[in-house]
Amino acid sequence: MAAAAHSVATGHGNAAHQRETNRLGLWLFIFSETFLFSALLSSRYYLQGLARPHELNQLLGLGITVALLLSSLSAYRAEMCAAHGNQKGFEHNLLFTVAMGVLFLAGVTIEWYEAAHYFPPKTGFGTIFFTTTGIHAFHVITGLIALLVVYGMGRKGRFTQGNYWGVEGVVKYWHFVDVAWVFIYPTLYLVG
Amino acid sequence: METSGLKLALRRGWWVFLALLVLTAVEYLVLLVMPAGNLIYMIIMNLVDAALILYFFMHIGHLWQKESH
């Protein structure tokens, strides 16, 4: 009884309170990540101003942006399906999200191959381009790993209508990766 | 077994995606018609993009709501 009272008082064992705490913690983590990307984006303007190489593959940049936006839509759909107990919808949408993430990485790989030829890392723009897209790609890879872990847990029936924090957490992280790209794409490809 | 709540949420997702897609297309068009001096337009569109994702996809509003169960 005393343990239960302590549990309620401290929030331990209280699922709703635990979810609120988890959510706040994740948002604080995401907030801290924005500093990293803000520093990278501001370095582009500090070092290069608004200069942009003509050799940038604009269509590829647009294509991988659309792929990432599509992945955000399917991630959202996966979370909503999990929240409403639609297991099949959750699984299909999460797998589609992973597929779009892999497609995005494939596009970045092609872009790196071309960039290494036209503006290698030793050049000013190359330094910014490879550092920013590299750190972002690392986030995409970690997001993909997390999505696959959650997919595996979901297939084992670990998430229910009222208990799907794992899905919510990884989907929020994935959306953050998308928000970061929403700023990276114009900063590297479009601004002039 | 799609409930009406789920259908509504999924439909909202498509609308948000469509808005993001249109904004991205407009950004690309701005590049084509205004290759230089477009910074302010890009920033405005990026902020709208981010706000849409934060509000509708990431449910930032839930941070200020009490969990019911």
Side-chain angles (χ1 to χ4, degrees):
Chain A
M1 182 77 169
H6 175 75
S7 165
V8 171
T10 57
H12 297 302
N14 181 332
H17 179 85
Q18 188 62 56
R19 249 194 325 273
E20 283 176 3
T21 311
N22 289 351
R23 201 172 282 151
L24 180 63
L26 182 62
W27 275 106
L28 287 174
F29 167 70
I30 287 172
F31 185 61
S32 71
E33 285 272 82
T34 61
F35 287 95
L36 169 67
F37 284 103
S38 300
L40 288 170
L41 294 179
S42 57
S43 70
R44 181 258 196 272
Y45 296 105
Y46 183 75
L47 293 172
Q48 290 288 295
L50 297 177
R52 183 186 67 234
H54 295 295
E55 295 86 0
L56 277 165
N57 191 335
Q58 290 293 349
L59 279 180
L60 185 59
L62 182 66
I64 60 176
T65 302
V66 172
L68 211 55
L69 290 177
L70 261 173
S71 79
S72 239
L73 170 66
S74 56
Y76 166 81
R77 288 170 65 88
E79 184 188 351
M80 289 301 103
C81 286
H84 289 82
N86 183 335
Q87 180 70 18
K88 277 268 173 280
F90 158 72
E91 288 178 17
H92 291 162
N93 281 294
L94 213 64
L95 274 185
F96 186 79
T97 305
V98 170
M100 287 298 105
V102 171
L103 188 66
F104 175 84
L105 284 178
V108 170
T109 307
I110 296 168
E111 187 64 314
W112 272 30
Y113 181 76
E114 293 180 1
H117 178 69
Y118 293 114
F119 39 91
K122 64 184 176 192
T123 62
F125 190 84
T127 303
I128 296 157
F129 184 87
F130 281 96
T131 307
T132 309
T133 55
I135 289 178
H136 183 264
F138 175 74
H139 281 75
V140 172
I141 292 167
T142 53
L144 285 175
I145 293 168
L147 283 169
L148 286 171
V149 169
V150 164
Y151 174 75
M153 289 167 74
R155 274 184 69 96
K156 289 177 186 162
R158 288 280 295 273
F159 305 116
T160 56
Q161 232 169 319
N163 177 25
Y164 61 96
W165 163 249
V167 182
E168 183 185 337
V170 75
V171 165
K172 270 192 177 48
Y173 178 74
W174 189 258
H175 287 312
F176 168 70
V177 169
D178 193 21
V179 171
W181 185 256
V182 155
F183 286 97
I184 292 170
Y185 168 58
T187 300
L188 294 180
Y189 288 82
L190 305 178
V191 161
Chain B
M1 54 164 213
E2 288 192 3
T3 61
S4 60
L6 177 58
K7 275 184 183 167
L8 198 69
L10 297 183
R11 199 176 308 136
R12 189 188 304 133
W14 277 111
W15 280 113
V16 174
F17 171 71
L18 197 66
L20 293 170
L21 208 59
V22 168
L23 278 166
T24 305
V26 172
E27 283 174 14
Y28 192 75
L29 286 175
V30 167
L31 166 78
L32 297 180
V33 299
M34 195 190 290
N38 60 27
L39 179 63
I40 188 69
Y41 303 105
M42 294 298 177
I43 289 175
I44 292 169
M45 284 186 281
N46 294 163
L47 289 175
V48 176
D49 271 335
L52 285 170
I53 297 173
L54 284 167
Y55 188 79
F56 290 106
F57 283 173
M58 296 176 82
H59 313 291
I60 194 167
H62 289 185
L63 259 181
W64 291 274
Q65 287 174 4
K66 271 271 172 214
E67 285 271 349
S68 56
H69 53 271

